[in-house]
Amino acid sequence: MAIDSAVRALVRAAHAYPRRNPMTFAYLLVILAGLLLLTKILTGPAADHLKITISTNPHNMAHAPLTVLLASPLFAATDSGLLSHLLIIAGGVGVCMAALERRLGARRTAAVFLLANTIATAVATSVAAAAIHSGRYPAKWWDGYDYGISYGVLAIAAAVTPLVPKAVRVLWAAGVFAYPFVSAQWFGLLPNFATIGHETAAAFGLGAGYFLLRRATPPG
């Protein structure tokens, strides 16, 4: 009986999810469609061309910044493993973004995501351009792959910190900031520019979360 009750509760929750979190649900569908496009529909060369086109590398940011800033966060990185997808897509979007949407509404949640992605990308590509010119980063990074949803999602994960129980709030925030360093590459004391972007996004998200949630009333 307990198992039956749990299954029924999960079915009800799944049925209510799109209604309670319409923007998050729509974004999850976009992400899944992007993954299908890059991994199942397009051929290898066509998929690679699309990835380069939407990459927020220094070259693209210098020539088509608006295009890549809007297109890149529509596609999850296909080279991420299953655990990374579970953490970023299921946890970061499916859980954290949904929680923020229910408290702040769709527009303010989207604003946190997009602003964090824009600011983090601007900081990261500026560092990358300077480091490439100085020889600290590989020259191939000038127009290489750098796309995905992770800047915005990490900002969202940081933004929900005030919603986490106080007993584990510090650990949650520490985990969000530590996560990018798991796969960081180091060039002396300088990490790869994606890590810098992730840390920038997390810092923005944490500040935005405390600022907005302290003033927010649950949307009606």
Side-chain angles (χ1 to χ4, degrees), residues 22 43 56 83 100 106 134 173 182 208 210:
T43 60
T56 52
L83 178 59
L100 206 62
S134 69
V182 172
Y210 272 99

Side-chain angles (χ1 to χ4, degrees), residues 27-167:
Y27 186 44
L28 284 170
L29 293 180
V30 169
I31 293 170
L32 293 176
L35 282 172
L36 286 174
L37 180 65
L38 291 176
T39 60
K40 302 297 183 183
I41 298 174
L42 295 178
T43 60
D48 289 341
H49 177 73
L50 178 57
K51 292 175 188 177
I52 288 293
T53 301
I54 64 174
S55 286
T56 52
N57 54 48
H59 175 271
N60 285 348
M61 283 294 289
H63 292 86
L66 186 59
T67 298
V68 294
L69 283 171
L70 292 176
S72 180
L74 299 179
F75 296 88
T78 57
D79 58 352
S80 298
L82 178 60
L83 178 59
S84 179
H85 278 322
L86 286 174
L87 288 172
I88 297 295
I89 300 175
V93 179
V95 177
C96 295
M97 182 177 281
L100 206 62
E101 180 182 2
R102 290 193 298 272
R103 286 294 300 270
L104 297 180
R107 284 182 294 181
R108 282 180 286 182
T109 301
V112 172
F113 181 96
L114 293 171
L115 281 172
N117 181 70
T118 300
I119 293 169
T121 300
V123 170
T125 52
S126 296
V127 171
I132 290 168
H133 283 302
S134 69
R136 299 191 70 180
Y137 281 170
K140 65 181 181 180
W141 285 4
W142 181 261
D143 55 0
Y145 295 111
D146 182 46
Y147 70 95
I149 67 176
S150 57
Y151 286 173
V153 172
L154 205 67
I156 294 295
V160 301
T161 299
L163 301 179
V164 175
K166 288 184 178 181

